[in-house]
């Protein structure tokens, strides 16, 4: 295993750790004979021995063959060969990525402060961590960062608008110009001279690095992106995948050796939690930083569970095979439910308190010991306290499960970060703590989905069902406590509840939270007290309530906004800005009566924006609409605007896949000739104009959703703001 | 592993769709009344989901009745207020 | 040219003496019992394939057995199960729906490995536990279309699964496979459908038309056709 170390003297050292990965297999003697024959033909040293190991939740160990591969580079191909050759054998520990296995085995993690004993040739004799991944007071590692971006005005350089390259380091910015040979030469010089640890790019995976690699290849010039001269640049192809009911695209990857390549436009973790959050996730999950940046958060939580299993000596099955236990159709009807969502009481309300159960689902898993092997265990069948509410399952009261064992320290660390955040005086320090706790929040969020995910190693549908059953019961308990004290529940979504009671102040809501916590045993806190909050009606059918669509003004002055244009990526910037201004205007009001007084001013804002649109002043940036392609662009049957823009890009030779994001403006929504209806933003020249009425109606809709509950109708809005 | 069964909100929508011919043959004002009834069923979707009954239409009917009952109470209160005021006015009128 | 024996399933809406309306769904169930999933014929694998509406037809067959008090095992491979249809059918038969739901035992498989494990390892013991002799496999091939499982492995799993099903059929268990047609993106795996068909004792094709749902069966002494009228189907 190649391990890169930064010495105390600042030297970057390429070290080799003689790590021997193992896998296990269970098979009858005849198949084992076959395995031995295959292993004897392997080209590297392999040792085997009989051992006894436990499967998760099994009462007795099974006898398995432990296969140790003394050349880690051959581990994957060898195990894959075995799996193909022996389909009837059961394999374990075969598909966990080796860097992760190495971290688990040596009790290390990415960017760990450690002590190592090296030979003169760089072989690691011993290595141990000097800190724990659960520490909260670690600093940013002493790494140098070089930034590389395209010098292009286009929202996505892959969609057109090629330009030169910009390099930034230590606050200095250089433009790499000239012909291709000049660019490669200049970049190589900078890479060798500055020798950065992290190459932080914009569009590096999909555009910059592939382009640079092609340029260097054509010129037969070396490209010094890798620090490790022994390795080539790792590449992964782009692909589309489903996640939480949405199709997403992955731009592929360019992975460096001895240096970390992070692409700001191809990293969920980086975008959501920043560099500090990404590092926190990599440390906790023990997933290599370049991998963590590009993978789903689910990989992180899975890695944590795998580590728990490895540490406890459990076998990690290759394919999950255990299906759902039979249940009657009646039971299925009861169990196949999600969390409870109470439709909101539409309209504006004042002095409302929002109470949130903190990390509800993972907390339920820990508190009620929900894990694949603890659900419906044979030992606690008759214990009333082990019953899951409303459904027929029970959980184990005797042994803590793998999932709770994994999640408990994670929950604890997030609480510690939140406490440190509250006490932090420096804004910069608080920002770092916030990024780290957000990183942990994401790991906790996906931990629930992974209980029910079909390919999850330690998932089980009954565990998933039990969590939601508890959540429903807890939400109802919270409702009952509050209603007994005269509160009215306005809205509730799974783990958040909005209550109102005439005259109730902050202390009352805090007391309510305290009582619910005592009753349920699960921590609930006051997310905030609103001067007012408006639950907004559906735009399609005003009679139908829409959950999670509201605007609220907290008593500390901040606003909480959900589900409307300002939060949506597909709304044009101009519409978002208009909505933001209307909201700012409404936020002057502290009470409902004052809110109504703000209406004339809000209408005036709308009028000014409409005039701006009609006068033709709006710019591309203000008008661009961002949409994610929900299907392969070739598979669309209806000519939607995003489809027309996608066709335009395809015709220009841009490659697009489902999940890709495109940007367009509406040019003439009703044009008979379809390509005239919309234009892609990338590569837009001076010859375009926008569809005033299409944007005007988007603008009106964005204003109307806020003003309808205050008595403004579509007609009155249109008439009172026309004046142009 | 997504949900296997339809959610209660989807069931309400299915029910609405199954009544579409009926709705079409109603007068405009009656269509509006029907829409309000189904909105009531949607409004109480959480209770319907929690009950998890295999015959959801009767659950929807009860949800509609709840909203009707609330309306009745609201109207009763309004009538009572008006009656009190009328009574007050008339006694005042007699006194003067 | 083979003579096609053609008949609409008879659905009486009135009794012979012109009396009360008869519940049509009950007749559908009876007709289904006589045609597709008859109990009095030799045991074996029956395949019902066609548009996604075959799932509802399969569930109708399950309800029919459950109404007769017989336990049914329902293996869901495509994450499809509709207890509300069970509720409607039970009600139309004037039987407490909860009772019918209790007779149908469901297990869902979300991966092909789970599906095969369900058939090979779990099914036999479940048949014993619930004293059941009737199994419905809804969407047995769906999980095998998953591209993340290599095709040779999917092929091997398919063989393992169908061998186990045949074994069970020989032992007197009646297996009804309900399968929609292979989706276009299934590529080379669309041949699983043909292979399943070849193994079935009876293969009934379902297709949807304006006037209703047509069931068509080749093989046997002569081809057969039945029809479920659209108004009745829509009422389900």
């Amino acid at each position: 295993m190649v391990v890169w170390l930064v010495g105390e003297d600042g030297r970057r050292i390429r070290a080799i750790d003689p790590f021997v990965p193992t896998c296990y297999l269970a098979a009858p003697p005849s198949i084992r004979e076959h395995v031995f024959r295959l292993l004897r033909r392997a080209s590297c040293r392999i040792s085997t021995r009989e051992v006894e190991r436990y499967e998760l939740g099994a009462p007795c160990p099974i006898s398995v063959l432990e296969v140790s591969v003394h050349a880690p580079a051959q581990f994957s191909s060898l195990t894959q060969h075995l799996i193909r050759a022996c389909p009837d054998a059961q394999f374990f520990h075969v598909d966990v990525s080796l860097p992760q296995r190495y971290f688990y085995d040596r009790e290390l993690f990415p960017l760990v402060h450690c002590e190592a004993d090296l030979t003169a040739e760089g072989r690691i004799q011993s290595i141990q961590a000097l800190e724990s991944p659960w520490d909260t007071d670690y600093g940013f590692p002493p790494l140098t960062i070089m930034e590389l971006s395209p010098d292009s005005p286009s929202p996505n350089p892959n969609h057109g608008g090629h330009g030169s390259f910009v390099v930034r380091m230590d606050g200095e910015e250089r433009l790499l110009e000239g012909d291709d040979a000049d660019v490669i030469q200049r970049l190589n010089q900078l890479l060798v001279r500055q020798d950065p640890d992290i190459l932080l790019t914009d569009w590096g995976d999909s555009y910059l690095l592939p382009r640079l690699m092609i340029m260097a290849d054509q010129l037969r010039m070396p490209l010094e992106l890798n620090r490790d001269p022994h390795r080539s640049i790792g590449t992964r192809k782009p692909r589309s995948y489903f996640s939480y009911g949405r199709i997403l695209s992955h731009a592929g990857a360019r992975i460096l050796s001895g240096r970390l390549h992070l692409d700001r436009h191809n990293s969920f973790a980086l975008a959501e939690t920043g560099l500090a959050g990404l590092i926190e996730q990599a440390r906790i999950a023990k997933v290599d930083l370049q991998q963590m940046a590009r993978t789903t958060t689910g990989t992180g939580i899975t890695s944590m569970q795998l580590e728990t299993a490895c540490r406890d000596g459990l076998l990690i099955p290759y394919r999950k095979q255990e299906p759902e236990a039979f249940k009657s159709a009646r039971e299925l009807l009861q169990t196949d439910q999600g969390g409870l969502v109470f439709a909101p009481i539409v309209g504006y309300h004042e002095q409302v308190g929002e109470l949130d159960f903190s990390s509800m689902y993972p907390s339920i898993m820990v508190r009620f010991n929900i894990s694949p092997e603890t659900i419906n265990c044979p030992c606690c069948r008759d214990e009333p306290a082990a019953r899951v509410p409303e459904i027929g399952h029970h959980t184990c009261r005797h042994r803590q499960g793998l999932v709770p064992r994994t999640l408990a320290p994670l929950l604890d660390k997030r609480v510690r970060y939140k406490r440190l955040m509250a006490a932090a005086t420096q804004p910069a320090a608080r920002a770092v703590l916030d990024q780290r706790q957000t990183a942990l929040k994401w790991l906790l969020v996906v931990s629930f989905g992974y209980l029910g995910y079909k390919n999850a190693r330690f998932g089980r549908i009954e565990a998933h069902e039990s969590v939601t059953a508890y959540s429903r019961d807890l939400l109802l308990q919270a409702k009952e406590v509050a209603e007994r004290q005269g509160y009215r529940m306005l809205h509730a979504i799974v783990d958040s509840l909005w209550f109102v009671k005439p005259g109730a102040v902050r202390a009352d809501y805090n007391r309510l939270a305290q009582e619910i916590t005592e009753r349920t045993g699960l921590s609930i806190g006051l997310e905030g007290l609103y001067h007012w909050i408006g639950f907004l009606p559906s735009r399609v059918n005003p009679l139908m309530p829409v959950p999670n669509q509201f605007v609220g003004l907290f008593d500390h002055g901040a606003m909480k906004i959900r589900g409307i244009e300002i939060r949506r990526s597909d709304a044009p910037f101009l519409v978002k800005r208009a909505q933001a201004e209307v909201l700012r205007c409404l936020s002057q009001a502290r009470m409902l009566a004052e809110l109504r007084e703000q209406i004339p001013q809000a209408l005036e804002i709308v009028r000014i924006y409409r005039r701006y649109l009609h006068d033709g002043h709006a710019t591309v940036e203000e008008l661009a609409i961002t949409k994610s392609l929900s299907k392969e662009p070739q598979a669309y049957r209806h000519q939607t605007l995003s489809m027309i823009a996608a066709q335009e890009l395809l015709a220009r030779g841009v490659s697009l896949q489902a999940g890709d994001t495109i940007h367009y403006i509406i040019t003439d929504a009703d044009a008979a000739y379809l390509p005239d209806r919309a234009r892609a933003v990338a590569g837009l020249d001076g010859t375009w104009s926008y569809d005033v009425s299409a944007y005007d109606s988007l603008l009106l809709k964005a204003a109307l959703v806020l003003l309808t509950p205050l008595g403004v109708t579509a007609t009155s809005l249109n008439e009172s703001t026309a004046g142009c | 592993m997504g949900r296997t069964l339809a959610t209660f909100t989807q069931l309400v929508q299915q029910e609405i769709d199954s009544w579409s011919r009926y709705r079409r043959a109603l007068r405009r004002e009656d269509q509006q009344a029907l829409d309000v009834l189904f909105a009531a069923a949607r409004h109480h979707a959480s209770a319907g989901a929690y009950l998890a009954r295999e015959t959801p239409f009767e659950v929807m009917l009860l949800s509609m009745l709840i909203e009707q009952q609330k309306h009745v109470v609201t109207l009763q209160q309004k009538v009572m207020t008006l009656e009190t005021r009328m009574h007050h006015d008339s006694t005042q009128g007699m006194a003067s | 040219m083979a003579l096609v024996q053609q008949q609409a399933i008879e659905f009486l809406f009135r009794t012979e003496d012109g009396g009360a309306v008869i519940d049509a769904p009950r007749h559908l169930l009876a007709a289904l019992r006589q045609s597709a999933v008859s109990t009095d014929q030799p045991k074996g694998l029956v395949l019902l394939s066609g548009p996604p509406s075959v799932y509802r037809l399969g569930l109708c067959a399950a309800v029919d057995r459950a109404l007769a008090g017989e336990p049914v095992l329902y293996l869901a491979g495509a994450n499809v199960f509709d207890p509300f249809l069970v509720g409607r059918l039970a009600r139309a038969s004037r039987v407490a729906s909860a009772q019918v739901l209790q007779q149908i035992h469901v297990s869902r498989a979300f991966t092909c490995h789970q599906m095969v494990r369900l058939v090979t390892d779990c099914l036999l013991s479940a048949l014993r536990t619930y004293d059941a002799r009737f199994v419905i496999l809804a969407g047995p091939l769906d999980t095998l279309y998953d591209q993340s499982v290599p095709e040779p492995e999917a092929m091997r799993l398919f063989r393992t699964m169908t061998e186990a099903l045949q074994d069970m059929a020989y032992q007197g268990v009646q297996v009804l496979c309900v399968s929609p047609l292979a989706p276009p993106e299934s590529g080379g795996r669309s041949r699983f459908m043909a292979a399943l068909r070849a193994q079935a004792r009876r293969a009934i094709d379902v297709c949807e038309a304006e006037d209703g749902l047509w069931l068509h069966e080749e093989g046997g002494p002569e081809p057969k056709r039945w029809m479920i009228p659209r108004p009745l189907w829509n009422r389900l």
Side-chain angles (χ1 to χ4, degrees):
Chain A
M1 182 65 62
V2 178
V3 182
W4 282 85
L5 303 167
V6 180
E8 271 175 344
D9 55 1
R11 273 193 310 145
R12 272 62 180 160
I13 304 155
R14 180 183 191 272
I16 305 276
D17 194 337
F19 168 63
V20 180
T22 53
C23 70
Y24 301 88
L25 68 102
S30 61
I31 294 179
R32 278 192 191 202
E33 280 311 309
H34 185 43
V35 169
F36 284 127
R37 272 198 301 279
L38 292 171
L39 290 177
R40 274 196 291 275
R41 274 188 250 148
S43 58
C44 63
R45 200 182 132 216
I46 285 169
S47 49
T48 58
R49 59 177 185 145
E50 281 294 325
V51 292
E52 293 212 319
R53 289 281 185 278
Y54 282 88
E55 286 189 85
L56 181 64
C60 315
I62 54 168
S63 168
V64 286
L65 185 71
E66 183 185 79
V67 179
S68 304
V69 182
H70 293 257
Q74 296 192 33
F75 181 81
S76 169
S77 59
L78 189 99
T79 49
Q80 283 308 312
H81 179 60
L82 284 180
I83 290 165
R84 273 196 305 275
C86 312
D88 294 321
Q90 258 186 296
F91 288 88
F92 305 94
H93 276 64
V94 284
D95 56 345
V96 184
S97 105
L98 286 188
Q100 282 166 230
R101 287 284 296 280
Y102 174 78
F103 286 133
Y104 308 159
D105 195 69
R106 299 285 196 262
E107 295 184 37
L108 298 171
F109 47 90
L111 304 179
V112 59
H113 182 209
C114 62
E115 190 172 61
D117 205 354
L118 302 185
T119 65
E121 300 81 46
R123 267 179 90 81
I124 295 177
Q125 305 284 84
S126 72
I127 182 165
Q128 66 239 9
L130 296 174
E131 57 176 349
S132 153
W134 302 109
D135 291 346
T136 51
D137 58 351
Y138 64 95
F140 190 82
L143 301 178
T144 53
I145 302 178
M146 178 187 275
E147 290 180 62
L148 182 64
S149 319
D151 180 35
S152 160
S154 165
N156 180 345
N158 286 297
H159 296 175
H162 286 200
S164 45
F165 300 82
V166 184
V167 177
R168 264 173 245 105
M169 196 159 180
D170 301 328
E172 243 182 88
E173 189 171 295
R174 292 188 185 80
L175 197 62
L176 302 184
E177 283 174 311
D179 61 22
D180 288 1
D182 290 338
V183 168
I184 299 285
Q185 202 185 356
R186 284 287 294 138
L187 183 65
N188 280 343
Q189 275 173 0
L190 284 169
L191 283 166
V192 172
R193 197 188 321 142
Q194 309 279 2
D195 193 25
D197 298 306
I198 297 178
L199 187 66
L200 185 60
T201 67
D202 289 304
W203 310 102
D205 281 334
S206 60
Y207 173 73
L208 281 184
L209 268 54
R211 193 176 146 198
L212 286 167
M213 286 159 76
I214 291 170
M215 280 160 61
D217 208 38
Q218 283 169 348
L219 295 162
R220 292 170 196 283
M221 287 173 75
L223 189 61
E224 310 283 353
L225 288 170
N226 262 349
R227 189 184 258 161
D228 191 336
H230 304 278
R231 305 249 177 138
S232 54
I233 294 171
T235 59
R236 262 210 320 266
K237 279 195 200 137
R239 65 193 169 87
S240 303
Y241 62 99
F242 259 105
S243 176
Y244 292 92
R246 280 197 315 156
I247 192 150
L248 301 170
S249 86
H250 202 290
R254 295 294 180 274
I255 306 286
L256 303 182
S257 301
R259 177 170 291 144
L260 302 167
H261 172 219
L262 305 175
D263 178 350
R264 270 192 283 244
H265 290 270
N266 192 29
S267 174
F268 176 79
L270 208 50
E272 287 292 325
T273 72
L275 195 53
L278 173 64
I279 290 174
E280 175 73 25
Q281 278 190 350
R283 286 169 62 103
I284 291 278
K286 310 199 165 179
V287 174
D288 159 66
L289 209 69
Q290 295 191 84
Q291 161 84 353
M292 195 68 235
R294 289 169 178 83
T295 189
T296 59
T297 319
T299 307
I301 200 77
T302 303
S303 177
M304 294 181 67
Q305 294 176 352
L306 293 176
E307 194 209 354
T308 308
C310 282
R311 202 176 46 227
D312 298 350
L314 295 169
L315 291 167
I316 298 169
Y318 169 52
R319 295 270 194 216
K320 199 179 66 163
Q321 302 188 333
E322 199 55 41
E324 179 185 31
F326 278 93
K327 53 169 72 114
S328 79
R330 173 109 206 94
E331 287 167 307
L332 178 62
L333 188 61
Q334 291 289 349
T335 56
D336 191 57
Q337 290 189 49
L340 280 183
V341 176
F342 280 82
I345 311 288
V346 169
Y348 285 85
H349 310 266
E350 52 190 3
Q351 283 298 103
V352 174
E354 178 186 343
L355 270 59
D356 289 2
F357 280 105
S358 58
S359 300
M360 185 197 229
Y361 283 167
S363 300
I364 286 174
M365 292 181 233
V366 172
R367 172 155 151 67
F368 300 104
N369 195 25
I370 297 174
S371 190
E373 80 282 22
T374 57
I375 290 294
N376 299 338
C377 63
C379 50
C380 305
R381 189 165 295 152
D382 302 319
E383 286 203 36
R387 289 253 146 253
V388 178
E390 314 294 346
I391 60 176
H393 303 324
H394 68 268
T395 63
C396 189
R397 306 280 294 167
H398 301 127
R399 274 179 306 170
Q400 195 187 22
L402 179 131
V403 169
R405 282 205 299 282
T406 308
L407 293 180
L410 193 56
L411 282 167
D412 174 64
K413 192 177 187 187
R414 181 156 183 247
V415 170
R416 281 188 285 145
Y417 272 139
K418 286 195 133 182
R419 239 180 257 143
L420 288 169
M421 243 176 88
T425 46
Q426 301 279 331
R430 192 180 309 127
V432 166
L433 290 167
D434 193 26
Q435 288 189 327
R436 290 184 186 169
Q437 73 84 16
T438 308
L440 301 187
K441 184 192 82 180
W442 276 109
L443 285 167
L444 289 165
V445 165
V446 299
S447 68
F448 166 67
Y450 263 64
L451 265 187
Y453 173 53
K454 64 176 185 170
N455 286 322
R457 223 64 72 92
F458 299 111
R460 186 171 159 193
I461 192 85
E462 289 87 347
H464 194 269
E465 291 167 346
S466 300
V467 174
T468 57
Y470 272 112
S471 86
R472 294 191 291 274
D473 190 56
L474 290 165
L475 190 81
L476 292 178
Q477 285 186 34
K479 176 182 88 82
E480 285 152 8
V481 171
E483 285 176 341
R484 260 202 301 277
Q485 303 191 13
Y487 288 89
R488 181 182 185 210
M489 190 173 79
L490 293 173
H491 186 28
I493 312 171
V494 184
D495 54 359
S496 306
L497 307 100
W498 285 262
F499 290 114
V500 69
K501 178 168 135 179
V505 294
R506 182 168 273 273
D508 298 310
Y509 284 106
N510 275 325
R511 207 161 29 244
L512 176 63
Q514 186 63 35
E515 276 172 50
I516 295 173
T517 301
E518 277 162 24
R519 162 83 187 271
T520 59
L522 221 64
S523 169
I524 196 169
L526 181 62
E527 160 81 1
L529 186 63
Y530 295 90
H531 283 309
W532 50 260
I533 184 169
F535 297 107
L536 308 172
S538 157
R539 270 160 275 197
V540 185
N541 181 352
L543 288 173
M544 293 295 185
V546 187
N548 212 15
Q549 180 174 286
F550 60 83
V551 290
L553 177 68
F554 282 122
D555 61 350
H556 52 69
M559 291 197 93
K560 187 164 179 176
I561 301 161
R562 291 288 180 274
I564 58 170
E565 283 79 355
I566 200 169
R567 297 271 308 196
R568 295 179 58 102
S569 61
D570 60 354
F573 182 64
L574 185 83
V575 172
K576 289 187 189 190
R577 209 174 55 201
Q579 202 174 43
E581 278 193 42
V582 171
L583 281 170
R584 199 171 305 130
C585 162
L586 296 180
S587 72
Q588 304 298 313
R590 292 286 174 273
M591 288 178 300
L592 289 191
E594 292 170 13
L595 203 55
R596 283 188 203 98
E597 288 166 15
Q598 292 297 113
I599 293 176
Q601 226 178 308
L603 294 177
E604 178 58 15
I605 294 167
V606 178
R607 198 187 62 77
I608 292 169
Y609 269 91
R610 291 183 80 186
R611 160 161 255 162
Y612 179 76
L613 259 180
H614 281 269
D615 290 349
H617 295 313
T619 64
V620 179
E621 290 73 28
E622 288 172 329
L623 299 170
I625 292 172
T626 303
K627 280 259 165 81
S628 163
L629 297 175
S630 59
K631 285 185 252 187
E632 293 297 330
Q634 290 81 3
Y636 272 88
R637 280 200 310 215
H638 300 290
Q639 289 289 345
T640 59
L641 293 175
S642 53
M643 201 49 243
I644 290 165
Q647 299 294 354
E648 183 196 330
L649 290 170
L650 288 174
R652 273 200 263 130
V654 174
S655 74
L656 290 174
Q657 60 176 353
D660 275 350
T661 299
I662 60 162
H663 312 266
Y664 64 88
I665 59 164
I666 308 173
T667 44
D668 183 1
D670 299 322
Y673 179 57
L674 294 176
D676 283 347
R677 292 186 180 179
R679 295 269 309 269
V681 168
L684 207 61
D685 52 23
T687 63
W688 60 277
S689 60
Y690 60 88
D691 185 331
V692 173
S693 77
Y695 283 99
D696 188 50
S697 86
L698 290 176
L699 184 64
L700 287 175
K701 258 192 242 170
L704 195 62
V705 69
L706 299 174
L707 301 176
T708 305
L710 295 172
V712 177
T713 65
T715 323
S716 70
L717 176 68
N718 187 21
E719 284 166 4
S720 58
T721 59
C724 52
Chain B
M1 290 182 263
R3 293 276 300 271
T4 307
L5 313 186
T7 63
F8 199 84
T9 305
Q10 287 168 332
L11 291 172
V12 175
Q13 191 54 49
Q14 283 171 19
E15 204 59 53
I16 292 173
D17 294 343
S18 80
W19 290 97
S20 60
R21 282 163 70 96
Y22 174 80
R23 185 183 184 278
R24 189 181 172 201
L26 289 176
R27 289 187 185 82
R28 181 67 178 265
E29 65 265 30
D30 301 332
Q31 287 180 347
Q32 285 166 348
L34 183 72
D35 294 348
V36 171
L37 289 179
F38 274 117
R42 254 286 278 276
H43 190 75
H44 295 292
S46 50
Y50 189 66
L51 175 65
R53 196 171 271 188
E54 63 280 4
T55 47
F57 187 55
E58 60 192 38
V59 184
M60 294 177 206
L61 290 175
L62 206 62
S63 300
M64 296 172 191
L65 283 176
I66 288 177
E67 290 303 301
Q68 291 282 300
Q69 174 63 17
K70 279 160 67 184
H71 274 300
V72 169
V73 170
T74 312
L75 292 174
Q76 272 174 339
Q77 280 165 349
K78 279 190 182 162
V79 168
M80 235 152 63
T81 315
L82 288 173
E83 276 178 350
T84 317
R85 196 183 298 163
M86 274 170 62
H87 181 69
H88 181 74
D89 288 352
S90 62
T91 50
Q92 285 226 323
M94 270 196 287
S96 61
Chain C
M1 202 176 89
L3 188 69
V4 177
Q5 185 197 335
Q6 191 163 324
Q7 62 176 109
I9 295 180
E10 270 184 56
F11 296 106
L12 300 175
F13 289 88
R14 296 199 163 267
T15 53
E16 276 127 349
D17 57 1
V21 174
I22 290 176
D23 286 319
R26 214 169 54 194
H27 283 261
L28 167 65
L29 298 185
L32 209 59
R33 190 181 325 131
Q34 282 153 23
S35 58
V37 283
S38 55
T39 39
D40 51 351
Q41 290 187 27
K43 311 298 179 200
L45 217 71
V46 176
L47 172 67
L48 208 59
S49 66
S53 47
V54 289
Y55 287 128
R56 298 174 83 194
L57 219 46
L59 194 53
C60 286
V63 173
D64 178 51
R65 293 306 174 86
L67 279 170
E70 204 187 311
V72 176
L73 298 187
Y74 190 98
L75 278 53
N79 206 10
V80 176
F81 185 79
D82 185 358
F84 310 106
L85 174 60
V86 180
R88 288 193 293 275
L89 286 168
R91 174 157 294 190
S93 306
R94 309 248 194 280
V95 174
S97 45
Q99 209 176 311
V100 181
L101 287 168
Q102 292 286 19
Q103 290 283 23
I104 303 174
H105 305 276
V106 187
S107 171
R108 291 165 291 175
F110 297 93
T111 68
C112 51
H113 297 94
Q114 286 181 336
M115 190 71 198
V116 173
R117 179 76 167 264
L118 190 54
V119 171
T120 56
D121 293 3
C122 311
L123 194 49
L124 269 181
S125 71
L127 285 163
R128 273 195 301 274
T129 308
Y130 300 109
D131 195 20
R133 289 166 57 237
F134 183 51
V135 177
I136 292 194
L137 229 71
L141 305 177
D142 271 58
T143 53
L144 289 165
Y145 298 139
D146 181 358
Q147 303 285 338
S148 70
V149 179
E151 204 168 313
E153 193 180 347
M155 195 68 214
R156 185 181 62 78
L157 291 167
F158 172 77
R159 272 199 304 271
T160 313
M161 178 173 75
T162 45
E163 277 164 21
L165 286 175
Q166 289 291 12
D167 274 357
M168 230 165 283
Y170 282 125
Q171 289 169 33
V173 177
Q174 196 170 15
V175 182
L176 175 64
C177 283
V178 177
S179 181
L181 302 173
E185 64 273 16
S186 58
R189 295 173 201 226
S190 57
R191 65 175 187 276
F192 289 150
M193 192 66 203
L196 188 63
R197 207 186 173 81
Q199 299 214 12
R201 179 173 59 78
R202 299 179 58 201
I204 300 167
D205 295 312
V206 179
C207 59
E208 282 199 58
E210 280 282 290
D211 54 351
L213 219 61
W214 285 90
L215 282 71
H216 180 88
E217 183 181 5
E218 293 274 356
E222 57 211 9
K224 282 185 249 165
R225 265 160 80 86
W226 309 272
M227 198 262 273
I228 302 167
R230 172 67 60 188
L232 169 60
W233 183 246
N234 287 350
R235 272 182 58 196
L236 289 183

